[in-house]
Amino acid sequence: YDQTASLREDWEGQRIGETTIEISTLDRQIERLGLPTYCKIDVEGWEREVLMGLSNPIPIISFEYHQSDSEIQTARSVLDRITQLGDYYCNIKPSGMHDFHLKNCIPISQFTTLFPEGIVPPLTPGYCDIYCTLELSLYRNI
């Protein structure tokens, strides 16, 4: 799709072509470039697969998910994977918003219990970004 290329065959939009690309893992890139403080994952439905290539936590991870039933399930699986990496705190930013939706980050265990109905404003169109941080002091600097 012209603006939202994905490695998933079933991604939204009409397929207009394909190309062969080289992919790597986060672990390999960290070995090559060093550990980042922040990693934004925006891979149109392949977020969990990206995180499967990560063995150690990154201080701040954010990822996008689209507001559909299937993508909410994908976001849940991404949150489950992030839980395996460390004790993160989470917040969310709906599309078009400049501020976080929650006043404060909450533990990922609480976030996943409330997500999405108890977290996301009803009828939020489009997509949201979920931010996960290991240290609340880093969150204040995003």
Side-chain angles (χ1 to χ4, degrees), residues 2-59:
D2 63 348
Q3 296 176 4
T4 55
S6 177
L7 294 172
R8 284 183 37 191
E9 299 250 347
D10 66 340
W11 192 245
E12 58 192 50
Q14 183 179 21
R15 187 174 178 176
I16 61 172
E18 64 181 62
T19 189
T20 302
I21 60 167
E22 182 180 329
I23 61 173
S24 185
T25 65
L26 286 172
D27 282 344
R28 278 189 238 142
Q29 293 306 311
I30 289 169
E31 183 179 306
R32 189 173 145 246
L33 303 169
L35 182 71
T37 300
Y38 171 57
C39 179
K40 177 177 175 44
I41 303 170
D42 188 352
V43 291
E44 308 304 339
W46 243 56
E47 294 78 10
R48 186 171 195 286
E49 289 81 355
V50 167
L51 287 168
M52 292 308 294
L54 180 64
S55 302
N56 296 296
I58 294 174

Side-chain angles (χ1 to χ4, degrees), residues 51-107:
L51 287 168
M52 292 308 294
L54 180 64
S55 302
N56 296 296
I58 294 174
I60 301 171
I61 298 172
S62 72
F63 68 95
E64 177 186 283
Y65 79 94
H66 291 238
Q67 293 279 62
S68 69
D69 290 339
S70 66
E71 293 310 306
I72 287 170
Q73 291 308 318
T74 298
R76 285 182 184 281
S77 72
V78 172
L79 289 165
D80 288 344
R81 175 65 184 138
I82 291 172
T83 299
Q84 295 169 1
L85 294 168
D87 294 324
Y88 282 87
Y89 296 85
C90 298
N91 209 330
I92 193 164
K93 204 184 286 189
S95 61
M97 302 297 287
H98 299 289
D99 296 320
F100 288 104
H101 178 64
L102 301 174
K103 183 177 179 179
N104 296 302
C105 284
I106 60 176

